[in-house]
Amino acid sequence: MSLILAPIQGMTIAHYRNLYAEYFGGIDTYYAPFIATRESSKISASLFKDLLPEFNNTNLNVIPQLIGNNSSDFRSFATTLVTMGYKEINWNIGCPYPMITKKKKGSGILPYPDMIKSFLDDICIDNNYALTVKMRLGLNLLDEGIAAIRILNDYPLNGVIIHGRVGTQKYEGTVNLDSFELLNDLSKHEVIYNGDIFTLADYTKIAARFPAINKFMLGRGALRDPFLPSAIKGNPVPTHLKISKMKAFHDAVYAHYKSILSGDRHLIDRMKEFWVYNSVHIDPVGKYTREIKKCHTHAAYEQIVSQMLDSSNTWKE
Ligand SMILES: Cc1cc2nc3c(=O)[nH]c(=O)nc-3n(C[C@H](O)[C@H](O)[C@H](O)COP(=O)(O)O)c2cc1C
């Protein structure tokens, strides 16, 4: 069984991935957040910064992800990624944000199977990299996902990651395991499960229901509880060690952002995002997190975090 860290825009950037691997482990493959394709004349090196080999991307198993519906733009971006050494590229047809979907990108392409077909016709004639796809059950309804899976079946893909929600759900409600099962059964490609694995019990339940599935992608669950992947792998970290490990991880993430961001505002905004996920098992009632949301200076921030991660505090399983 293999575990994949889902791409989470703004969070799972190169330094985060590296520190996650160093402090927690349990993850076999890291998907980088999407890069939006554009005309080749507008490609700049900064778009690929997160994937530069010097950020350790070649030691970890990192898969880049592209989002877009223009095959010629996708080809140019893919050429750059292959030149950088990447052997697999993931096509995002799952993003639910209206800014993306209204342009028929992300899950917005799912109601248009002919567009998916002509895109893949152009991409799959001579791609010198493995192509995988990350999708949802549909944009609005399952029928869209069914039509998309039937098209994907006709191309030489290396796997399809399915997040068991429709795009219009965004992250609301729950995953629909019956609909996931239907697409899983229809797919000729290897299917990777994604969605709502927050606890070991969630994983056990899903793995038992889909015994043929071998790869599981974890997003929010792995960020909220970074000890979860190693627990799933059978190497649980004792509860009494978790706060001190989280402190070391936080300090390393914070030191990185402090070194690259100028001004307290940007730094604290980044760390507020960090705590959206990481406070769940440390500060479930939100006592410290509310203070972090209100703070403006790095000195105030550091003081609140040090109280929150004091050794007398406990990790709430
Ligand atoms: C803030 C945020 C940013 C995300 N960014 C991406 C992204 O760049 N690419 C992508 O394929 N999915 C992205 N996702 C979706 C996740 O990768 C994942 O599919 C989704 O969260 C469901 O898995 P989970 O329930 O394990 O979190 C994002 C999700 C969130 C909440």
Side-chain angles (χ1 to χ4, degrees):
M1 176 269 294
S2 121
L3 294 182
I4 300 169
L5 187 70
I8 305 260
Q9 201 67 238
M11 282 293 291
T12 62
I13 57 164
H15 279 85
Y16 196 94
R17 299 191 294 266
N18 286 326
L19 292 170
Y20 197 99
E22 184 182 335
Y23 286 86
F24 307 115
I27 293 287
D28 301 283
T29 307
Y30 293 77
Y31 276 61
F34 70 71
I35 302 174
T37 62
R38 50 172 90 169
E39 273 175 44
S40 55
S41 63
K42 293 185 188 150
I43 295 188
S44 72
S46 65
L47 289 172
F48 298 91
K49 214 171 112 205
D50 184 55
L51 293 162
L52 289 172
E54 56 262 42
F55 291 155
N56 199 31
N57 284 309
T58 40
N59 292 342
L60 285 189
N61 189 15
V62 175
I63 312 293
Q65 184 188 65
L66 296 175
I67 195 167
N69 60 15
N70 180 305
S71 57
S72 113
D73 296 350
F74 192 98
R75 289 170 71 89
S76 313
F77 274 67
T79 302
T80 303
L81 291 169
V82 169
T83 313
M84 290 168 78
Y86 291 98
K87 295 187 169 51
E88 179 183 329
I89 298 175
N90 182 259
W91 184 34
N92 178 327
I93 55 169
C95 179
Y97 292 112
M99 248 168 49
I100 301 270
T101 56
K102 71 178 185 214
K103 294 186 218 152
K104 300 184 183 160
K105 295 175 184 173
S107 65
I109 200 173
L110 291 171
Y112 305 96
D114 290 348
M115 271 179 84
I116 299 176
K117 184 173 162 24
S118 74
F119 180 93
L120 291 174
D121 279 340
D122 291 347
I123 297 299
C124 294
I125 22 168
D126 58 356
N127 56 309
N128 55 352
Y129 53 87
L131 181 66
T132 56
V133 168
K134 182 164 181 279
M135 65 181 285
R136 289 206 174 207
L137 300 174
L139 171 63
N140 309 289
L141 29 96
L142 180 62
D143 281 351
E144 296 160 348
I146 293 173
I149 282 282
R150 291 206 164 109
I151 303 274
L152 299 183
N153 280 345
D154 291 337
Y155 295 87
L157 305 179
N158 282 61
V160 179
I161 304 161
I162 304 177
H163 173 193
R165 284 185 171 82
V166 289
T168 47
Q169 255 185 293
K170 297 198 182 70
Y171 295 93
E172 287 148 23
T174 50
V175 281
N176 187 327
L177 293 182
D178 293 336
S179 302
F180 173 88
E181 181 166 16
L182 202 140
L183 295 191
N184 181 36
D185 289 346
L186 279 178
S187 179
K188 287 188 189 155
H189 301 296
E190 179 179 22
V191 169
I192 295 136
Y193 177 88
N194 175 231
D196 291 9
I197 299 182
F198 293 111
T199 62
L200 184 56
D202 293 338
Y203 166 76
T204 310
K205 188 184 92 188
I206 287 159
R209 174 153 176 186
F210 304 109
I213 290 189
N214 205 21
K215 294 182 181 162
F216 299 84
M217 175 181 265
L218 282 74
R220 294 162 301 160
L223 297 194
R224 291 178 194 178
D225 178 1
F227 303 102
L228 179 59
S230 50
I232 292 174
K233 288 279 180 73
N235 305 309
V237 171
T239 305
H240 71 278
L241 297 178
K242 289 183 176 176
I243 290 281
S244 61
K245 277 186 179 283
M246 271 307 297
K247 182 174 178 342
F249 176 64
H250 164 269
D251 291 352
V253 171
Y254 182 57
H256 168 66
Y257 281 131
K258 217 170 173 179
S259 73
I260 59 160
L261 297 172
S262 58
D264 281 6
R265 171 120 184 253
H266 288 122
L267 175 63
I268 291 165
D269 281 352
R270 277 286 178 173
M271 297 316 293
K272 284 178 185 168
E273 182 81 8
F274 175 93
W275 287 113
V276 165
Y277 300 96
N278 286 286
S279 65
V280 171
H281 292 272
I282 298 172
D283 181 34
V285 292
K287 177 177 162 203
Y288 299 101
T289 322
R290 274 193 293 277
E291 293 296 314
I292 290 174
K293 276 194 191 135
K294 284 190 270 174
C295 82
H296 300 292
T297 65
H298 73 269
Y301 172 81
E302 286 166 19
Q303 198 186 358
I304 301 161
V305 171
S306 122
Q307 285 166 6
M308 174 162 59
L309 295 175
D310 186 90
S311 53
S312 64
N313 208 344
T314 53
W315 178 269
K316 284 85 181 170
E317 295 289 353

